Amino acid sequence: MPGRKIRVTSCSSLHIIGTSLSNPAAKSMKVSATTNTKRHHHHHHHSSKTNKTAAARAAAMVNHDTENLSPIFSSKSKSSDSTDNVGVGDSKISHEAIEQDVTNLTNLNNLPSTNAFEALQISSDRLRTIIAALHCNILIRKADLVRNLDYVANVLDAVHEDETRIKQQHIPVAPIRRRLMEEDDGALSEIEPDSVPNEVRDWLTMTFTRSMSTLKRRPSDKPKFKSVAQAIRAGIMVDSCSRYLRRLSIDIKFKTINEWTFDVFSVNEFTNGQCLRYVGFELMQRYNLPNKLHISITTLQNFLEQMESGYSRYRNPYHNLVHAADVLQTTYQIIYNSGLMVENWLTDLELFAIFVAAIVHDFEHTGTSNNFHIQSRSDVALIYNDRAVLENHHVSAAFRLMRQDEYNILSEFTSDEYKNFRHLVIEMVLATDMSCHFAQLKTMRSLISMQENIEKAKSLALILHCADISHPGKPWDIHHTWTQSLMEEFFKQGEKEKELGLPCSPLCDRDNTLVAESQIGFIQYIVEPSFIVVGDMLEKVLKSLVAADSEVLSPSIPNRSMTSSPSPSAVSSTELNLQHDEQNGLERRLPSSMTTPIPRSTIVRRPWAEYLKLNRERWVQEAEEERRRKQLNVIEEEP
């Protein structure tokens, strides 16, 4: 994601949040929180006490782990009043108290609405509790962490929206805001022109300075901020913290991107329906592909946004941007899970090609099948002569898009790089045509049985094809959601076919299709055999890589026969000793640890196997219910 400050990995929550809080944005969060405490201190005495406790715990932790603390704990804000320093002298704060606060994080039912006045202080308290728990190595459930951060982000969003709404609608300034307007006009000079957007400056000038105010001033009113400069900084903090916490919540969701059980629906909800651009950018940045392949970040962002636009063109229930993101992550996970990422099986160009192929594989899908286009004699069927109609369109439309400068992610490729990239993408996307399914499996089974290595393009094509039909091998909730979406898309096609007077395609009759039976057949005859073959293929690739490595000496001992004559400074001491012994007719034996390669597993984990079994059993039960309901309907219809 552009501008992200953190990356969530499989490490502990302490590492994740601790790293993120070392950023300047995190330091701003501290200033914002303490300022907020002062701002409402005289309104909420009880909340202030809670805040003091949290501050005391944070202060105690400064003495406990000063060297490793992020800047947010290294010093107190100068704007904090004396009450914020309560408990600094206390060197020991019981973990039980913090654990109790962490327990309270699970309760979000009675929290005020995000636009309520009290929500600001509660958000501050909860953030302090999270920070204290992380620095004390107290476990916070991921679900509680995400929900609380999401609540805080929504509160900050509400504050920001309120400020923006007041500017846009010119709402009369309430008394609580009137005091902010009593600042000296010259205070704006403290802010550098480039540090604040003009829109923010105009808003503050209109709202907080005397030149725009028509209200009668009362010298006795004490302003909330010491200067308009602080008002600007506070406004920017609200917006920055909101975006920061939103990114943090999204990154926590991305913690599972390496896992088979990755929930793309949850990520799509968290990213406001933009999961394809987030997943695509995350994976490409994870392997530094934009930098390695000289791809402009702006151009990549434009490309991914346009991909989402194309996937949303027909508003398909199934073949949409969420499906594209799911296939992309599943394609990556199959390769990652096999260990081939570690083995460097793919070049940067090949990895980029498979990511792009997954992203574009259903670009501008019409929500109807190839057979529908052929039977209805659509324009796209005429263009591609009834052969892989949609698949040809997907890849062709994507490459046509990349001819435009603002979307051309291939602009820095050499002629050979472009040729290889295009060949791989076309091969992979055309292989997603289901009419080629059985021929593809037959060919791959034959290649697996041979001694020769499998052509990489065919291997990648099968991986993408399996990812495209993988949802029956996912947890039931994910699989069932996809099934409902797919069946709805089928039924809509059936309705179009009836309108055109065409025969209704299989599984497209809303009134007569047996969904459970169809899924049992889909798993048994299509998905399960495909994943058996792809698993066997991956294991053969792994074995070939391990066998090739076993023929080479350990990296700690250069193989003289495979290198050019090195200069003396480049020759290792080990090799010099070998040369000396050989010159004296001595045979030198090396430790087995230096000559024997570390054994590596060539067995590929197959997480889909168990889910395929469980989901098939679940559909068998559903099929029994379907038959029972159908029998009851027949009995009711009989006279």
Side-chain angles (χ1 to χ4, degrees):
M1 282 167 281
R4 286 196 322 117
K5 300 298 183 184
I6 62 173
R7 179 185 299 284
V8 172
T9 65
S10 57
C11 301
S12 66
S13 297
L14 176 62
H15 173 76
I16 297 166
I17 310 300
T19 301
S20 66
L21 288 178
S22 65
N23 295 326
K27 190 181 294 185
S28 299
M29 289 170 57
K30 173 67 176 178
V31 177
S32 178
T34 53
T35 305
N36 194 43
T37 304
K38 289 182 61 181
R39 184 174 180 179
H40 304 302
H41 175 68
H42 64 283
H43 289 287
H44 290 274
H45 184 68
H46 176 72
S47 297
S48 180
K49 286 183 178 180
T50 307
N51 207 25
K52 293 174 187 177
T53 305
R57 292 169 187 156
M61 288 185 291
V62 174
N63 298 326
H64 175 67
D65 194 14
T66 304
E67 294 181 357
N68 296 324
L69 289 183
S70 59
I72 193 171
F73 289 109
S74 60
S75 62
K76 294 291 290 180
S77 170
K78 292 181 180 181
S79 63
S80 299
D81 54 21
S82 59
T83 60
D84 286 333
N85 293 322
V86 174
V88 171
D90 299 331
S91 61
K92 295 183 179 179
I93 298 293
S94 67
H95 277 218
E96 289 79 3
I98 301 176
E99 288 174 349
Q100 180 60 42
D101 290 342
V102 170
T103 303
N104 294 334
L105 293 177
T106 61
N107 182 20
L108 279 83
N109 296 328
N110 298 323
L111 293 180
S113 63
T114 54
N115 57 356
F117 184 79
E118 297 81 2
L120 285 168
Q121 185 61 53
I122 291 175
S123 298
S124 173
D125 295 342
R126 289 189 171 238
L127 275 179
R128 290 175 181 274
T129 296
I130 291 170
I131 293 169
L134 291 173
H135 277 276
C136 289
N137 288 331
I138 296 175
L139 180 64
I140 304 177
R141 291 173 61 248
K142 184 177 78 171
D144 294 339
L145 182 61
V146 171
R147 292 169 62 204
N148 277 275
L149 290 176
D150 188 47
Y151 176 79
V152 174
N154 288 332
V155 170
L156 293 173
D157 280 344
V159 174
H160 184 255
E161 289 171 5
D162 180 56
E163 301 290 347
T164 305
R165 180 174 57 86
I166 289 172
K167 176 195 170 183
Q168 292 175 345
Q169 299 181 4
H170 303 287
I171 296 175
V173 182
I176 193 171
R177 297 188 177 278
R178 188 174 295 122
R179 282 172 284 179
L180 291 172
M181 299 167 59
E182 298 182 7
E183 286 299 323
D184 186 10
D185 297 338
L188 282 174
S189 61
E190 298 180 25
I191 304 300
E192 294 293 333
D194 294 336
S195 65
V196 180
N198 290 334
E199 185 178 7
V200 176
R201 179 179 289 276
D202 293 343
W203 166 64
L204 286 162
T205 302
M206 179 178 64
T207 309
F208 297 106
T209 64
R210 286 176 291 193
S211 60
M212 291 289 187
S213 176
T214 58
L215 297 174
K216 184 178 180 180
R217 295 171 184 77
R218 293 186 302 167
S220 59
D221 285 343
K222 184 179 180 180
K224 289 289 184 179
F225 293 99
K226 292 183 179 179
S227 67
V228 175
Q230 286 188 344
I232 292 176
R233 295 188 188 104
I236 294 173
M237 284 175 195
V238 169
D239 187 41
S240 299
C241 290
S242 175
R243 291 197 305 269
Y244 170 78
L245 289 172
R246 189 70 69 182
R247 285 198 306 270
L248 178 59
S249 300
I250 292 171
D251 285 348
I252 292 171
K253 290 287 183 183
F254 273 115
K255 183 180 179 181
T256 61
I257 201 168
N258 291 340
E259 299 176 9
W260 181 254
T261 55
F262 179 75
D263 187 355
V264 70
F265 295 108
S266 177
V267 170
N268 190 57
E269 181 180 355
F270 239 74
T271 57
N272 297 320
Q274 299 174 340
C275 64
L276 179 56
R277 72 180 70 177
Y278 276 90
V279 174
F281 198 85
E282 167 69 20
L283 290 178
M284 292 187 188
Q285 284 285 64
R286 181 165 291 207
Y287 291 92
N288 199 23
L289 295 180
N291 183 50
K292 291 178 179 178
L293 300 176
H294 309 290
I295 301 168
S296 164
I297 295 296
T298 301
T299 304
L300 179 58
Q301 290 173 340
N302 294 339
F303 174 77
L304 292 173
E305 290 173 9
Q306 198 64 22
M307 284 292 109
E308 290 187 336
S309 177
Y311 274 101
S312 305
R313 181 175 179 181
Y314 296 97
R315 300 183 180 181
N316 302 323
Y318 180 84
H319 289 101
N320 50 39
L321 66 90
V322 185
H323 169 69
D326 182 52
V327 172
L328 171 60
Q329 187 274 335
T330 303
T331 300
Y332 160 72
Q333 204 283 331
I334 291 174
I335 301 173
Y336 175 87
N337 173 72
S338 67
L340 290 174
M341 287 294 192
V342 178
E343 297 290 346
N344 294 321
W345 177 49
L346 299 173
T347 66
D348 293 329
L349 182 69
E350 290 165 343
L351 181 60
F352 182 64
I354 196 170
F355 284 166
V356 172
I359 289 170
V360 309
H361 86 280
D362 275 329
F363 181 57
E364 293 186 349
H365 198 291
T366 58
T368 52
S369 65
N370 283 339
N371 184 63
F372 176 86
H373 283 281
I374 295 169
Q375 295 301 320
S376 63
R377 303 176 186 180
S378 69
D379 291 340
V380 70
L382 295 176
I383 291 173
Y384 298 110
N385 299 315
D386 297 349
R387 295 180 180 177
V389 175
L390 286 170
E391 290 73 25
N392 272 301
H393 174 74
H394 302 324
V395 70
S396 176
F399 273 97
R400 286 200 305 271
L401 179 69
M402 286 185 277
R403 292 175 64 182
Q404 303 178 42
D405 291 341
E406 60 265 42
Y407 311 119
N408 189 4
I409 55 178
L410 314 177
S411 61
E412 298 298 322
F413 282 18
T414 65
S415 179
D416 286 341
E417 287 173 336
Y418 177 83
K419 181 179 178 180
N420 293 334
F421 172 85
R422 179 168 164 80
H423 167 71
L424 284 172
V425 173
I426 292 174
E427 184 91 3
M428 286 184 275
V429 175
L430 293 185
T432 62
D433 180 6
M434 285 301 296
S435 66
C436 303
H437 170 79
F438 290 106
Q440 188 178 12
L441 289 191
K442 182 179 179 180
T443 300
M444 185 55 68
R445 288 191 183 102
S446 176
L447 292 173
I448 292 172
S449 65
M450 296 178 180
Q451 287 292 109
E452 293 81 5
N453 290 336
I454 302 171
E455 183 184 345
K456 195 174 291 184
K458 294 189 181 299
S459 300
L460 296 177
L462 181 61
I463 290 172
L464 179 58
H465 173 56
C466 288
D468 194 24
I469 59 173
S470 65
H471 68 81
K474 300 291 182 72
W476 171 260
D477 289 344
I478 296 175
H479 164 51
H480 189 253
T481 301
W482 280 126
T483 301
Q484 289 179 314
S485 300
L486 180 60
M487 297 312 300
E488 180 59 29
E489 190 167 299
F490 282 172
F491 295 154
K492 288 187 173 183
Q493 174 177 317
E495 292 166 357
K496 292 178 182 178
E497 289 170 332
K498 291 178 182 178
E499 292 175 1
L500 296 173
L502 299 174
C504 193
S505 298
L507 304 184
C508 293
D509 190 336
R510 190 183 296 272
D511 299 323
N512 297 312
T513 297
L514 298 176
V515 176
E517 292 286 356
S518 70
Q519 290 304 301
I520 293 171
F522 184 51
I523 292 172
Q524 183 174 353
Y525 300 111
I526 304 297
V527 182
E528 196 167 29
S530 300
F531 274 93
I532 290 173
V533 173
V534 80
D536 294 344
M537 180 209 73
L538 291 169
E539 289 185 354
K540 177 172 182 176
V541 173
L542 267 179
K543 288 175 182 176
S544 67
L545 293 173
V546 171
D549 288 347
S550 65
E551 297 174 0
V552 182
L553 288 174
S554 173
S556 61
I557 307 176
N559 188 344
R560 292 190 305 266
S561 63
M562 299 177 64
T563 60
S564 58
S565 300
S567 61
S569 61
V571 179
S572 66
S573 59
T574 303
E575 188 168 5
L576 286 173
N577 291 334
L578 282 169
Q579 293 173 351
H580 180 268
D581 290 341
E582 288 173 354
Q583 291 170 359
N584 290 277
L586 299 175
E587 179 183 0
R588 184 174 180 86
R589 294 185 175 274
L590 298 174
S592 60
S593 61
M594 299 179 68
T595 58
T596 304
I598 299 174
R600 304 200 302 272
S601 174
T602 58
I603 305 299
V604 173
R605 288 178 56 250
R606 308 191 186 198
W608 51 78
E610 184 64 21
Y611 289 114
L612 285 171
K613 177 183 176 182
L614 293 174
N615 290 338
R616 184 182 174 188
E617 291 173 354
R618 183 76 174 263
W619 283 120
V620 168
Q621 297 175 3
E622 294 284 334
E624 289 293 334
E625 291 294 326
E626 277 187 350
R627 283 192 289 268
R628 191 175 296 111
R629 287 194 298 268
K630 189 174 181 180
Q631 291 172 355
L632 290 174
N633 291 337
V634 171
I635 294 174
E636 291 176 358
E637 291 175 0
E638 291 179 354

